[in-house]
Amino acid sequence: MRLLIIEDNRTLLKSLKKGLQEESFAVDTAEDGEEGLFLAQANDYDVILLDLMLPKIDGRTLLQKLRVQGLKTHILILTARDAAEDKIEGLNAGADDYLTKPFRFEELLARIRALLRRKYGTKNPCLTIDDLKIDTATHAVVRAGLPVALQPKEYALLEFLAHREGEIVSRTEIWEHLYDWQDDTTSNLIDVFISRLRKKINRPGLRPLIQTVRGAGYLLKAE
Amino acid sequence: MHSLRLKLIVGSLAVLTAVILSFDAFLLIAKRGALLDVLDSRLFAESQSLALRLEIAGGKPSFDPADEAGAESAASPQVRIAAANGRTIYQSPQVSDLAWPAVPERAEAPVWKTVNAGRSGAWRAVTWVDRLEIDAGAGAGEQAAARPETTIAVVVQCAESLAETKEEMRELASLLALLSLAAFLIAGGGSFLLAGRALRPIRRINRALAGVSETRLDGRIAAREFDRELQPLIEQLNAALDRLQKGFQRERQFTSDASHELRTPVASILNSIEVLLRRPRTEPELVEAHRDNWQTARSMQTIIEGLLLLARMDAGKAPMAEEEIPLAPFIEDVLAAAAPEAEAGSVRLAQAVDPGLRILADPAQLRLALSNLVDNAVRYNRPRGSVTVTARTTEGGTTIEVRDTGIGILPAELPRIFERFYRIDPSRTEATGGSGLGLSIVQKVVETRGGRVTAASDSSGSVFTIIWPRR
C-alpha cells in the first residue's frame, strides 16, 4: 500500500515515514504544497496524509484542487488545528478523515487501515481467501491453519493481491502501490518477491492460490 | 447620594420650592400692603368725618359724641380727640388698654402706625393734627394764615383692630400653603417621571451592553435610535467595543497560533518516540532519533522563550537595564555571532558605524533585537549576498539599518511581518528555523524603549530601520 505524506515539519515527516515503512507501507513525502500536489497527481496513492499549514500551497487549497480534478484517493488531514470548525471545514472540503496533532501513531495506523478497507470495499479487517487468512491489523498470515512468516515487502505484496482478489494485477500496478520514489526497484524485482511469496503460500499439497498470468500479471484467487 | 434619579428629583424640587416660597411671600406681602392701604384710607376718611364734628366752644374745642354711641362695637374704629397740650377731649371707651401713639411734632400730615393693645392684639392707628378756626363763621384761608392765633390745633386719632386683616391674611396663607403643597407634590411626581424618562437611555445602553461578553463581542448599540446628545457617547462606546473585540480576536488568534506552533513539535517528538518503541532499535537509529528530538525540543524552547519574553514585556514586567553602549564594538559582536551561519550561506557581513557612537539601552535586549534582524538578513539572503549594518546619529535619535540582498518582501506582506507568528513562508521546518516571533520581539524591544522599527523592501533586498531615541 502506497502512502503520500505532505507535512512541512521535517522531523515529524521523518518519524512518520519510518514508522509507516516499518508497517510495510511504501511512503512518499512532500514538504510543501506544490510538491505534494505534483506527487498526488503523478501517482496512484492509497492514502494521502495532509497537513493544513503548508508552504507554497496550503493544505485546504491543495485538497480542493485535488477534488476538483476528480482524484478519488482517500485523504486524511493531519493538523494541529483542533477546532470543530476546522474539522468541519476540512471534511467538507473533501477530506475522508481528520486527526489532530499530537496523535498516537497507533491511532493513525488504525485510521489509515480503515481508509484502506474503504478503498478496497471490505469491512472485515481479516481477509479470507479459501484457507488463507490475512489479518491486516497485525499482519498475521495463516495458510491451512499454519502461520506463514513473511518479510514486510512480501506481506505488502500479499495484502495488495488479496485486496484485489480475483483480479489480474499487473507488475506496473504492483510497482506503483508497493514502492516509493526512494526504492530503486525495477519491476523485475517484483518477480523475485512473487516467487518467494508463492513458495510460502502455495505450499506443497495445498491448492495454488497465487498464479501467474503470462504477459498480464498475477492473480490471487480461490479455486 | 449616589442615585442620579434622586439627584435630578431633589435638584428640580429644590428649585421649584424656592420659586413657590418666594411667590407665596410676594403674594402675602403684597396682599398685606393692599389691605393696610385700604384700612389706612378708611381710617383717615373716618377721622376726617369726625373732625367735621369738632366745634369751638368758648375758645376751646369740644366734641359731641352723640352720633357715635350707636355705632360703637369692638370692631368699629376707636377715636380720640385731644387738645394740643395732650388733654383728651374725647375718647371712645371700649379699648382702655389701647396705647395711643404719641403725637409726632409738626404732624400736619396723617401718620399711620401699628400699635399693640394688649389683649385685643394689634391696632392700626392714624394720627393727624387738625386746625380749627376760632372764628368759624368768618373763616378765610388768608386771614387764618395771617393771624395764627385764630386757629387751635386738635389732634385727631382713629384706630381700628387689625384682627380682621390678620384673619384675612391667615386665610390667604393657609390657602397658599395648600396650593403650594399640591404644586410640590405634582412637581415631585412630574420630576420623578421626567428623571425616569431622562435616564431611560442609560437603561437601554445598559441592556445593550449586558449582551456583550468576552465570547459575544459583536453586539453594538444603534446610535441612531438615541437622542442627539447621547450619540457621541454611544459612538465612543461602540468604538471602545470595536477596539476590545479586535484585541480579543488578536489575543485568541495569538493563543491559537501559539498552541498550533507548539503542537507540531510535540507531535513530532511523541511520534518519533512511539515509532521508536515499537520494535528493538540499533544504536545508530537511537542516536539519530535523539538528535532529531533534541533539535525539535530546541525549536520548542525558542518559541517558548520568545512567548515568555513577549508576555513579560507586554505586561511591562521585563527587567530593563539602561547602559551607555558603544555601538561599533557592540554591532561587531552581533555580526561575529552570525558569522558561522553567514559563512555557510556565503553571505558577506559588513558594518558602517560612526565610531564613538553611543546609545542608551538594555544590552541584552538590544543584542536580541539586532541579532534577530541580522539572523533574518543572513537566513533570507541569496548565496554571495551581503548583510550591511549601519548606524548614525539622526534627528530622531540614532538610526540603525540592517540591509540585506535577499529576495525581498512583497509589498502586501510588509505590513504584517511584525505580527506574532506571521510567516511570509509558513514553513516551520528547521531549514529556515525561527520561531515566527523574531520580528515581534524586535518591534517590542524597540517600541518599549520609545523607538520605531520599519521595514522596506524591493527586488534588490530588504532594509530594516530602527530609530532609537536619545532618551
Side-chain angles (χ1 to χ4, degrees):
Chain A
M1 302 294 117
R2 190 168 175 186
L3 311 178
L4 171 63
I5 312 173
I6 310 173
E7 162 64 60
D8 65 342
N9 184 297
R10 206 170 277 172
T11 52
L12 177 59
L13 190 57
K14 196 168 153 187
S15 67
L16 274 177
K17 181 175 179 175
K18 186 181 174 74
L20 289 169
Q21 278 178 332
E22 284 171 1
E23 285 297 316
S24 309
F25 289 104
V27 180
D28 284 336
T29 57
E31 286 184 27
D32 63 58
E34 228 167 65
E35 196 188 351
L37 182 64
F38 171 75
L39 285 178
Q41 287 166 337
N43 302 295
D44 179 16
Y45 291 103
D46 292 294
V47 174
I48 295 174
L49 306 184
L50 177 66
D51 184 15
L52 287 183
M53 294 268 284
L54 289 169
K56 293 181 186 169
I57 302 174
D58 73 89
R60 203 166 290 126
T61 312
L62 175 61
L63 180 58
Q64 276 156 356
K65 275 192 177 167
L66 290 175
R67 290 311 186 209
V68 166
Q69 288 166 6
L71 190 85
K72 293 206 166 58
T73 309
H74 287 76
I75 295 176
L76 187 155
I77 289 177
L78 196 56
T79 180
R81 299 239 167 257
D82 65 343
E85 302 89 75
D86 291 317
K87 293 180 187 172
I88 292 164
E89 204 180 316
L91 292 172
N92 281 342
D96 297 277
D97 203 352
Y98 195 104
L99 190 58
T100 53
K101 298 173 190 172
F103 52 87
R104 281 287 310 276
F105 181 71
E106 288 289 347
E107 183 181 352
L108 178 67
L109 264 184
R111 284 176 186 269
I112 291 172
R113 289 203 182 105
L115 289 178
L116 285 174
R117 283 201 297 280
R118 246 201 267 175
K119 171 168 181 173
Y120 290 104
T122 56
K123 286 284 173 199
N124 192 343
C126 289
L127 303 172
T128 308
I129 297 125
D130 201 358
D131 57 356
L132 173 69
K133 286 191 170 62
I134 304 166
D135 186 336
T136 55
T138 60
H139 293 193
V141 178
V142 175
R143 179 80 210 266
L146 290 173
V148 183
L150 294 175
Q151 294 298 307
K153 274 287 175 236
E154 293 164 4
Y155 171 81
L157 183 56
L158 179 64
E159 190 188 316
F160 186 59
L161 289 175
H163 275 305
R164 306 279 298 270
E165 184 202 346
E167 286 176 49
I168 296 169
V169 183
S170 72
R171 270 209 208 94
T172 323
E173 277 180 285
I174 293 173
W175 187 76
E176 273 179 359
H177 281 269
L178 300 192
Y179 295 94
D180 50 53
W181 283 109
Q182 279 90 349
D183 289 315
D184 49 354
T185 314
T186 62
S187 55
N188 286 337
L189 215 85
I190 292 169
D191 292 341
V192 177
F193 278 113
I194 285 284
S195 70
R196 291 216 310 241
L197 183 62
R198 207 200 310 257
K199 259 184 218 143
K200 292 183 179 177
I201 301 296
N202 297 351
R203 286 207 306 271
L206 298 174
R207 282 178 295 276
L209 292 178
I210 299 172
Q211 297 157 24
T212 306
V213 183
R214 213 147 277 291
Y218 307 96
L219 174 65
L220 174 68
K221 77 169 202 192
E223 284 303 309
Chain B
M1 194 160 77
H2 288 298
S3 159
L4 196 53
R5 186 176 201 151
L6 198 62
K7 278 181 194 167
L8 282 174
I9 295 171
V10 169
S12 62
L13 281 186
V15 170
L16 189 83
T17 308
V19 169
I20 291 177
L21 286 181
S22 43
F23 179 70
D24 288 355
F26 169 77
L27 263 188
L28 288 172
I29 289 167
K31 180 71 181 175
R32 188 182 147 83
L35 284 176
L36 282 183
D37 277 354
V38 170
L39 182 60
D40 285 354
S41 46
R42 200 174 71 231
L43 280 176
F44 188 43
E46 193 99 19
S47 61
Q48 274 178 320
S49 69
L50 277 175
L52 288 179
R53 300 218 303 270
L54 278 170
E55 281 165 17
I56 304 291
K60 283 181 180 154
S62 73
F63 181 76
D64 169 24
D67 303 345
E68 277 299 299
E72 274 168 10
S73 76
S76 61
Q78 303 293 308
V79 293
R80 176 178 178 248
I81 311 287
N85 59 10
R87 182 184 58 89
T88 299
I89 299 165
Y90 170 77
Q91 178 174 319
S92 330
Q94 274 74 17
V95 192
S96 53
D97 50 359
L98 175 66
W100 289 99
V103 180
E105 291 189 24
R106 308 174 46 75
E108 307 286 311
V111 170
W112 287 273
K113 211 167 176 184
T114 303
V115 292
N116 211 323
R119 271 183 296 107
S120 51
W123 286 68
R124 187 72 174 172
V126 66
T127 305
W128 57 289
V129 176
D130 194 15
R131 289 192 179 279
L132 299 177
E133 284 176 33
I134 294 169
D135 187 4
E142 288 134 272
Q143 277 178 318
R147 296 190 297 271
E149 68 273 11
T150 57
T151 62
I152 296 170
V154 178
V155 177
V156 181
Q157 290 189 306
C158 185
E160 191 179 312
S161 167
L162 278 172
E164 224 170 283
T165 309
K166 277 230 170 95
E167 183 54 33
E168 220 167 313
M169 290 297 291
R170 199 173 301 122
E171 269 169 23
L172 178 64
S174 51
L175 180 67
L176 279 178
L178 213 64
L179 286 176
S180 299
L181 186 68
F184 185 85
L185 289 178
I186 289 169
S191 62
F192 180 82
L193 292 178
L194 263 181
R197 169 74 189 77
L199 294 176
R200 195 179 305 155
I202 293 180
R203 282 197 300 275
R204 276 171 61 196
I205 293 171
N206 192 32
R207 256 203 310 279
L209 286 180
V212 176
S213 65
E214 192 183 328
T215 47
R216 247 182 44 83
L217 271 172
D218 44 357
R220 291 291 178 277
I221 309 162
R224 266 165 222 279
E225 291 172 16
F226 285 88
D227 300 322
R228 193 155 36 81
E229 293 84 348
L230 284 172
Q231 284 180 7
L233 167 72
I234 287 160
E235 275 153 19
Q236 283 294 328
L237 268 176
N238 281 340
L241 279 176
D242 282 346
R243 285 195 295 276
L244 210 59
Q245 184 175 24
K246 282 209 185 73
F248 273 123
Q249 265 164 3
R250 243 193 334 268
E251 200 67 22
R252 258 202 295 275
Q253 183 64 41
F254 176 62
T255 315
S256 143
D257 284 347
S259 63
H260 179 261
E261 294 290 328
L262 288 171
R263 268 194 184 131
T264 299
V266 166
S268 169
I269 292 174
L270 288 177
N271 191 66
S272 165
I273 294 171
E274 196 182 339
V275 166
L276 209 64
L277 292 176
R278 286 169 69 83
R279 58 194 70 205
R281 297 296 176 184
T282 61
E283 182 145 350
E285 272 180 303
L286 290 174
V287 169
E288 192 184 352
H290 280 329
R291 193 175 292 132
D292 287 348
N293 288 340
W294 180 83
Q295 199 178 28
T296 310
R298 282 282 301 179
S299 76
M300 286 175 71
Q301 187 194 13
T302 312
I303 295 172
I304 289 167
E305 275 174 6
L307 283 174
L308 275 177
L309 178 68
L310 282 173
R312 249 185 260 131
M313 292 189 85
D314 282 345
K317 279 183 186 155
M320 214 172 26
E322 194 168 77
E323 283 176 27
E324 205 178 63
I325 297 167
L327 262 186
F330 193 83
I331 289 173
E332 192 81 47
D333 269 7
V334 170
L335 289 179
E341 205 185 330
E343 221 163 275
S346 304
V347 172
R348 200 168 50 81
L349 300 176
Q351 67 154 319
V353 179
D354 290 349
L357 190 56
R358 288 162 174 276
I359 62 172
L360 280 172
D362 179 304
Q365 289 182 5
L366 182 66
R367 184 180 304 274
L368 190 62
L370 288 178
S371 61
N372 262 316
L373 289 182
V374 170
D375 288 350
N376 278 348
V378 170
R379 197 172 291 147
Y380 298 106
N381 221 309
R382 55 179 171 74
R384 277 186 296 287
S386 67
V387 173
T388 314
V389 182
T390 59
R392 59 186 194 281
T393 307
T394 48
E395 222 169 286
T398 304
T399 301
I400 305 170
E401 277 180 6
V402 179
R403 189 179 290 276
D404 67 48
T405 55
I407 49 165
I409 303 160
L410 289 174
E413 314 263 21
L414 268 181
R416 303 194 58 195
I417 55 171
F418 291 103
E419 286 176 22
R420 292 170 189 191
F421 292 125
Y422 183 78
R423 288 166 201 271
I424 295 164
D425 183 345
S427 164
R428 289 177 301 284
T429 58
E430 283 79 13
T432 48
S435 59
L437 294 172
L439 287 178
S440 309
I441 291 172
V442 174
Q443 190 184 41
K444 194 79 205 175
V445 166
V446 174
E447 287 185 353
T448 302
R449 193 58 180 62
R452 237 159 22 92
V453 58
T454 54
S457 186
D458 57 34
S459 56
S460 67
S462 310
V463 54
F464 285 83
T465 309
I466 293 175
I467 296 172
W468 196 268
R470 268 186 202 87
R471 267 235 52 93

